[in-house]
Amino acid sequence: MAMATMAMRRAVALGARHIPAAAAASSRVVPLRHMSTDAGAAMEKIRAAGLLRTQGLIAGKWVDAYDGKTIEVQNPATGEVLANVPCMGSRETSDAIASAHSTFYSWSKLTASERSKALRKWYDLIISHKEEPALLMTLEQGKPMKEALGEVNYGASFIEYFAEEAKRIYGDIIPPTLSDRRLLVLKQPVGVVGAITPWNFPLAMITRKVGPALACGCSVVVKPSEFTPLTALAAADLALQAGIPAGALNVVMGNAPEIGDALLQSTQVRKITFTGSTAVGKKLMAGSANTVKKVSLELGGNAPCIVFDDADIDVAVKGSLAAKFRNSGQTCVCANRILVQEGIYEKFATAFIKAVQSLKVGNGLEESTSQGPLINEAAVQKVEKFINDATSKGANVMLGGKRHSLGMSFYEPTVVGNVSNDMLLFREEVFGPVAPLIPFKTEEEAVHMANDTNAGLAAYIFTKSIPRSWRVSESLEYGLVGVNEGIISTEVAPFGGVKQSGLGREGSKYGIDEYLELKYICMGNLG
């Protein structure tokens, strides 16, 4: 299982520091006097709402790591330590799996209506407490409060949608080949699900997986990112309050190699669902082979944003800005390459740079902030590497291009011109606030450039031509295409990629099929 171990090691929050086990219980939440005024007030509000959970969840009980080890959760905007959470491993994960497996038999036997009601109550609780999870997201992930509130609504929408979809899992009746037979097809839950989620959307990436899993009768063991566990734990607390039974939803975090190995090796875990990098996804896929698990993967992207010369400039600038700079460029569907037709390249570049200049960088708790910090120092160094590579090969920085004066992991919103296909900015996902502008001449050239990648998650086009919008959309080798729109994700539409951007779909009526197995029943001798 060496490959699985490497996969989970990459998924772990690198650089997380352990504190002595003795401090695990008494000092789990950092005293408010050690935090800035805004962070301290936010943490106090979360604590007062009863949603500041700092232990794992196994079999309905909040538990520490069995050896007492903990990991620090830090605020990327300030470097302050927010809390300490358990550094769990194989033993805790095995117990979580056992709990999920035991609960699966009772949870899956409930009627669809009963499961639906529990999920609906969970949705209601998330919405009624939306400010606290949003504050947690801003504190531990860094995104502006407005975006965090948007993610709470977005994340909750999956719980609402799949609460409704739970009652619409239909089977089939097949016309028989013989008169005394009846042929039926049932859809049944796959079983225990291991869900591994990233830090950039610490609520929505959980609900998008857990919602359909619980709806169809599966039980789940969630491993959130060690960078952002507090949001996941708050969501799990609300699930318990909603009546999701003990053991149906478990949360473990900490020693990623051990947790990953336990999930992959267990024959009781019948499915792995993962959102994260393509490299880690490949290793999880390989690690799942030994027990032939069902796998769904939402992996990295390299999204092209194509602006044709017949586009509405204002619409294209607004859409491109949203597609590129949401969450400071830290999303898998961010516009990674902005391809602009030569006829409007200068006009678009001027308008786009002006729009980027208006972005306010700062602490996400400040109302005026539209760009928060990157998640950590490693993320900043990656952006710097990409910028240095581009400028060494002839690109020119048109705006930004350096660390922000605020320090920490803040980086200036950046626009780079004269980008070519031999640069890292073109070939790989930068995952930061950097917008490369790339001119093109013809539609055919733009489609070729857009498809010149192993990734295939999201793409965007801007044009007033309806024939072109159809033609190009169908030519793009991507699972998602936005036409004259930069924000396209919704709970009612399937989300997922092609090529090396993943397997399967999340959200929509198609997403629930990822957690179901088909069973064919032949009834004979019926007279």
Side-chain angles (χ1 to χ4, degrees):
M1 298 300 293
M3 296 182 76
T5 300
M6 289 178 64
M8 300 312 299
R9 184 173 290 117
R10 291 192 181 192
V12 76
L14 297 177
R17 296 187 294 273
H18 291 186
I19 64 171
S26 61
S27 302
R28 185 172 299 284
V29 177
V30 176
L32 297 183
R33 67 179 180 275
H34 293 163
M35 296 184 190
S36 61
T37 302
D38 288 345
M43 291 290 281
E44 183 55 40
K45 184 168 187 174
I46 297 161
R47 183 187 289 109
L51 292 177
L52 186 56
R53 290 291 182 179
T54 56
Q55 295 172 291
L57 179 63
I58 300 175
K61 297 179 180 179
W62 298 102
V63 297
D64 293 325
Y66 296 163
D67 61 7
K69 291 181 180 178
T70 62
I71 299 173
E72 292 179 347
V73 180
Q74 297 183 349
N75 182 343
T78 64
E80 296 168 317
V81 176
L82 300 170
N84 300 291
V85 298
C87 183
M88 294 174 157
S90 59
R91 288 192 297 153
E92 295 90 344
T93 307
S94 294
D95 286 349
I97 293 169
S99 171
H101 185 255
S102 175
T103 305
F104 168 72
Y105 292 99
S106 56
W107 176 246
S108 63
K109 296 305 179 185
L110 294 179
T111 65
S113 178
E114 289 172 309
R115 292 196 299 271
S116 175
K117 288 175 182 176
L119 285 169
R120 177 69 202 196
K121 188 172 182 181
W122 188 16
Y123 163 79
D124 290 337
L125 286 172
I126 293 173
I127 292 300
S128 64
H129 292 84
K130 67 170 62 177
E131 189 170 356
E132 289 82 16
L135 284 169
L136 279 172
M137 264 187 269
T138 296
L139 287 168
E140 65 179 350
Q141 197 272 335
K143 66 179 58 179
M145 188 63 181
K146 183 178 180 180
E147 286 193 23
L149 284 167
E151 183 180 339
V152 175
N153 287 326
Y154 177 58
S157 72
F158 289 102
I159 303 301
E160 179 186 40
Y161 181 86
F162 287 108
E164 298 161 350
E165 204 66 14
K167 297 177 284 187
R168 303 188 183 98
I169 301 173
Y170 303 127
D172 208 351
I173 297 176
I174 300 171
T177 55
L178 298 173
S179 61
D180 68 340
R181 294 186 181 182
R182 296 297 180 266
L183 312 181
L184 297 85
V185 176
L186 302 183
K187 290 184 178 180
Q188 296 183 308
V190 66
V192 177
V193 175
I196 303 170
T197 61
W199 50 263
N200 56 341
F201 288 94
L203 177 65
M205 296 303 96
I206 290 175
T207 58
R208 200 162 73 180
K209 300 175 187 302
V210 173
L214 291 177
C216 65
C218 295
S219 53
V220 190
V221 177
V222 175
K223 180 210 166 293
S225 168
E226 282 70 26
F227 291 135
T228 56
L230 302 180
T231 304
L233 295 170
D237 192 346
L238 293 173
L240 289 180
Q241 293 181 39
I244 304 296
L249 175 60
N250 304 270
V251 183
V252 293
M253 72 225 74
N255 188 322
E258 289 192 16
I259 294 172
D261 281 349
L263 291 172
L264 292 171
Q265 292 173 1
S266 172
T267 57
Q268 293 180 333
V269 177
R270 297 306 311 137
K271 176 179 174 64
I272 294 291
T273 174
F274 169 73
T275 295
S277 74
T278 300
V280 173
K282 288 178 179 179
K283 289 180 167 58
L284 288 172
M285 190 175 179
S288 297
N290 285 344
T291 50
V292 195
K293 299 187 194 303
K294 195 167 185 175
V295 176
S296 58
L297 305 170
E298 195 265 284
L299 307 178
N302 186 3
C305 178
I306 307 173
V307 182
F308 289 101
D309 55 13
D310 63 353
D312 182 309
I313 291 289
D314 292 338
V315 170
V317 167
K318 181 181 177 181
S320 300
L321 192 75
K324 173 65 257 183
F325 289 99
R326 183 167 60 120
N327 201 13
S328 299
Q330 299 173 114
T331 87
C332 53
V333 294
C334 272
N336 204 57
R337 300 167 291 157
I338 302 178
L339 314 178
V340 187
Q341 201 157 15
E342 288 182 342
I344 61 165
Y345 181 87
E346 295 299 334
K347 185 177 181 181
F348 175 86
T350 299
F352 185 71
I353 289 172
K354 183 178 180 181
V356 175
Q357 287 174 323
S358 70
L359 298 174
K360 172 68 164 56
V361 179
N363 190 315
L365 293 175
E366 298 171 3
E367 189 175 349
S368 61
T369 294
S370 58
Q371 293 285 286
L374 298 185
I375 188 65
N376 57 21
E377 174 63 19
V380 179
Q381 291 179 9
K382 180 181 179 181
V383 170
E384 290 179 326
K385 175 185 174 181
F386 278 46
I387 293 292
N388 291 337
D389 173 79
T391 55
S392 71
K393 294 174 180 176
N396 61 294
V397 175
M398 305 170 77
L399 180 71
K402 61 182 184 295
R403 292 174 184 251
H404 197 277
S405 59
L406 288 172
M408 296 303 298
S409 57
F410 290 96
Y411 198 87
E412 293 185 357
T414 297
V415 181
V416 181
N418 199 31
V419 173
S420 57
N421 63 4
D422 63 335
M423 299 175 185
L424 289 174
L425 282 176
F426 187 99
R427 309 305 311 178
E428 300 180 20
E429 196 173 28
V430 65
F431 233 64
V434 180
L437 301 186
I438 306 160
F440 69 89
K441 294 180 180 180
T442 67
E443 178 182 307
E444 293 73 20
E445 181 187 12
V447 171
H448 175 75
M449 292 169 69
N451 289 337
D452 184 21
T453 173
N454 288 326
L457 186 54
Y460 309 89
I461 65 174
F462 291 89
T463 176
K464 291 179 182 177
S465 169
I466 293 177
R468 170 176 274 166
S469 67
W470 278 108
R471 193 167 59 240
V472 174
S473 293
E474 293 177 357
S475 299
L476 289 169
E477 298 170 354
Y478 291 83
L480 317 168
V481 178
V483 180
N484 296 322
E485 181 56 63
I487 303 295
I488 61 176
S489 299
T490 169
E491 76 278 10
V492 301
F495 187 103
V498 300
K499 297 193 285 189
Q500 294 186 31
S501 282
L503 299 171
R505 293 295 182 269
E506 295 186 328
S508 82
K509 66 178 183 179
Y510 304 103
I512 204 164
D513 288 338
E514 301 292 333
Y515 300 89
L516 294 166
E517 297 279 19
L518 294 179
K519 178 180 284 185
Y520 158 56
I521 300 175
C522 175
M523 303 178 67
N525 294 301
L526 298 179

